[in-house]
């Protein structure tokens, strides 16, 4: 199974230190001050502040801005940072981020021991946060059409994942095991008055539940997490083998991507193909396309 042990394999050439730092991008610091005020305190103090803001003019939301101090939720093991609050209910939503401490997130070190695994795990957590927003209804704010004086906002959103697993800033697993998630909150209002009790529901109940469900290892299916990380690592390994085998593309058996032809959208029939042993101990078989000018049925 190579280095690492447990459900994660991987050979030495992919170990941390030789394939890049475990941090996705050099120089990334989640604690770099963002624009906005620098209030902060405990989670309970934030909730109390939001209650006091109920009914006040919308610009009073600037009181919850916290660039470096943050609002610490010790019960759920994370700190919330709020950038410059939106100036009115029709402006772009307010950018926020949470940093979940490693001793709360508790992801196995081997799951982010090198750059590829760090990118893969971060991608998985972005997908989980996005999915949880939708299953919980956190992405749904007040219905539009209420007019200027009607209720507005109240939704939480994060970058939508794609089919590609790439470095992104929505969710990152840091080298020390902390998890940083960046998202937006459309601060709720009625007309231009703050709906503080709705904001309490968002920051006091919905966000902690999102963190628990999407960013904490013990709340996730360990086998699903492992499979995602290893699949991404295996894909990178297969790509690194293409040139030495005289190939320019590889589609694994069972994939739904290949089609019979450009004029036939039905899946390509099973056939013989290339096969090789991946870093994580599994044979990777499928169809390989050689170099040269040719049309590939992908």
């Amino acid at each position: 199974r190579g280095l690492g042990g447990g459900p994660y394999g991987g050979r030495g050439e992919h170990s941390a230190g030789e394939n890049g730092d475990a941090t996705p991008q050099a120089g990334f610091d989640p604690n770099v001050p963002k624009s906005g005020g620098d209030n902060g305190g405990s989670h309970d103090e934030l909730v109390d502040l939001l209650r006091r803001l109920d009914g006040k003019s919308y610009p009073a939301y600037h009181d919850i801005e916290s660039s470096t101090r943050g609002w610490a939720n010790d019960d759920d093991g994370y700190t919330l940072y709020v950038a410059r609050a939106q100036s009115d209910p029709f402006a772009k939503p307010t950018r926020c981020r949470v940093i979940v401490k490693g001793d709360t997130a508790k992801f196995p070190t081997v799951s982010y021991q090198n750059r590829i695994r760090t990118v893969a795990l971060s991608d998985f957590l972005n997908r989980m946060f996005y999915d949880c927003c939708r299953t919980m209804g956190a992405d749904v704010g007040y219905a539009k059409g209420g007019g200027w004086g009607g209720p507005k906002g109240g939704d939480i959103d994060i970058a939508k994942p794609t089919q590609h697993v790439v470095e992104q800033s929505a969710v990152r697993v840091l080298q020390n095991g902390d998890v940083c998630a960046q998202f937006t909150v459309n601060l709720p209002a009625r007309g231009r008055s703050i709906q503080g009790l709705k904001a309490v529901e968002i920051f006091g109940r919905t966000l902690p539940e999102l963190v628990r469900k999407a960013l904490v290892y013990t709340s996730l299916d360990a086998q699903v997490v492992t499979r995602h990380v290893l699949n991404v690592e295996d894909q990178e390994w297969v790509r690194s083998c293409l040139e030495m085998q005289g190939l320019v593309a590889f589609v694994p058996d069972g994939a739904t991507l290949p089609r019979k032809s450009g004029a036939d959208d039905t899946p390509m029939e099973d056939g013989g193909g290339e096969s090789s042993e991946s870093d994580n101990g599994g044979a990777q078989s499928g169809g390989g396309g050689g170099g040269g000018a040719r049309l590939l049925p992908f």
Side-chain angles (χ1 to χ4, degrees), residues 213-271:
K213 287 185 173 181
L215 304 180
V216 177
Y217 182 67
T218 54
S219 299
L220 305 173
D221 187 326
Q223 292 185 344
V224 175
V225 176
T226 299
R227 183 165 63 247
H228 183 88
V229 172
L230 294 188
N231 281 347
V232 172
E233 188 170 53
D234 284 347
Q235 290 172 23
E236 289 295 318
W237 180 84
V238 168
R239 292 186 185 103
S240 70
C241 295
L242 291 177
E243 185 175 358
M244 69 180 69
Q245 295 193 30
L247 302 174
V248 295
F250 179 86
V251 179
D253 288 342
T256 57
L257 175 63
R259 301 294 184 243
K260 284 184 177 180
S261 71
D264 188 350
D265 200 38
T266 58
M268 183 170 55
E269 296 177 0
D270 292 338

Side-chain angles (χ1 to χ4, degrees), residues 24-25 28-30 34 95-99 118-119 122-123 125-126 157-160 166-174 179-184:
Q25 289 184 351
F28 171 72
D29 183 356
K34 307 295 182 181
R95 295 190 177 190
C96 303
R97 73 188 191 279
V98 294
I99 297 181
T118 301
V119 171
S122 300
D123 172 85
L125 298 181
N126 182 24
D157 202 11
I158 196 168
K160 183 178 180 179
V166 296
E167 288 182 330
Q168 39 76 32
S169 60
V171 180
R172 298 177 187 240
V173 180
L174 308 181
V179 177
C180 177
Q182 304 190 85
F183 52 93
T184 61

Side-chain angles (χ1 to χ4, degrees), residues 53-121:
L53 293 179
D54 187 49
K56 291 189 176 181
S57 179
Y58 200 86
Y61 264 133
H62 289 299
D63 288 351
I64 71 172
E65 294 172 353
S66 180
S67 299
T68 60
R69 293 178 60 194
W71 302 98
N73 186 335
D74 294 332
D75 291 338
D76 291 297
Y78 71 82
T79 301
L80 166 69
Y81 298 88
V82 182
R84 182 174 297 278
Q86 59 202 90
S87 56
D88 64 70
F90 299 97
K92 290 184 178 181
T94 300
R95 295 190 177 190
C96 303
R97 73 188 191 279
V98 294
I99 297 181
V100 185
K101 289 299 183 182
D103 56 2
T104 297
K106 294 184 178 179
F107 286 93
T109 304
V110 70
S111 66
Y112 55 91
Q113 69 175 9
N114 58 51
R115 179 178 174 273
I116 293 174
R117 292 187 180 185
T118 301
V119 171
L121 181 57

